[in-house]
Amino acid sequence: MAGVKPAPGYGTMHFQTRLGGFRSIDGRGRLEFTFTGTVLLSQVKGDAKVTGQVRKEWDKNDRRVYTGTGRVVVTGEWRAVQWFGRDMQGVWYGRGTLRMGGEFDRDLNTGTYWFDDPNDKMYWPAGTTFDISFPRNMPGVNPATTPRKKK
């Protein structure tokens, strides 16, 4: 939460995987993660710091790409932060959508994510992606629906 004022509608999400990828879409707040692999930062309005043994591969059209092993800390708003690789651990305080896709590691694990309770871990999908909008109870996300009978 460092550098971000608490705001209504913000939440915290933790996530980790040994092999996979994610894309944080239309996010705001603070996103921090360690990684090995490739990271794309797109249209960041705020502060984005990339440290560690990484090299900048691309910097054009408000997009930057880094490859290596390091840490990313983004504070503010962004269109997208995308990563793929291995050994990633992250935490996001804010709001937005996280599209995640895991791959099976040698122990057949795909990765986990949780909100406030680390005992309430959920698993990343394997072989596909899915979107998690958060905070969990954000208005307008996952509205209650009424099933209709087919004719």
Side-chain angles (χ1 to χ4, degrees):
M1 291 177 31
V4 177
K5 293 180 181 176
Y10 276 21
T12 302
M13 174 188 275
H14 303 265
F15 46 99
Q16 66 83 30
T17 186
R18 288 180 60 186
L19 185 62
F22 75 78
R23 180 178 173 102
S24 168
I25 306 166
D26 294 329
R28 60 181 57 184
R30 178 186 166 101
L31 172 64
E32 179 176 354
F33 60 97
T34 58
F35 70 97
T36 295
T38 301
V39 173
L40 164 68
L41 304 174
S42 180
Q43 299 176 24
V44 174
K45 293 180 180 102
D47 188 33
K49 293 181 182 167
V50 181
T51 58
Q53 296 179 344
V54 296
R55 70 178 181 270
K56 188 184 289 188
E57 299 282 345
W58 176 267
D59 189 354
K60 191 174 181 181
N61 300 329
D62 208 12
R63 295 184 179 121
R64 292 178 283 164
V65 176
Y66 298 89
T67 303
T69 299
R71 173 183 300 274
V72 174
V73 179
V74 181
T75 306
E77 295 183 25
W78 55 89
R79 171 63 185 129
V81 174
Q82 187 168 337
W83 162 84
F84 67 92
R86 60 185 170 89
D87 301 325
M88 188 278 306
Q89 292 186 355
V91 62
W92 182 5
Y93 173 73
R95 67 182 299 152
T97 301
L98 190 71
R99 178 173 295 149
M100 57 178 63
E103 296 294 332
F104 291 110
D105 64 11
R106 67 178 68 125
D107 299 325
L108 300 179
N109 294 315
T110 57
T112 56
Y113 68 98
W114 64 97
F115 294 95
D116 295 315
D117 182 5
N119 294 320
D120 187 20
K121 290 183 180 177
M122 293 156 274
Y123 292 93
W124 289 39
T128 188
T129 62
F130 70 83
D131 292 354
I132 308 267
S133 294
F134 85 99
R136 258 184 168 169
N137 300 320
M138 185 166 68
V141 175
N142 303 324
T145 58
T146 304
R148 295 186 322 198
K149 287 185 179 181
K150 286 188 173 182
K151 295 182 180 181

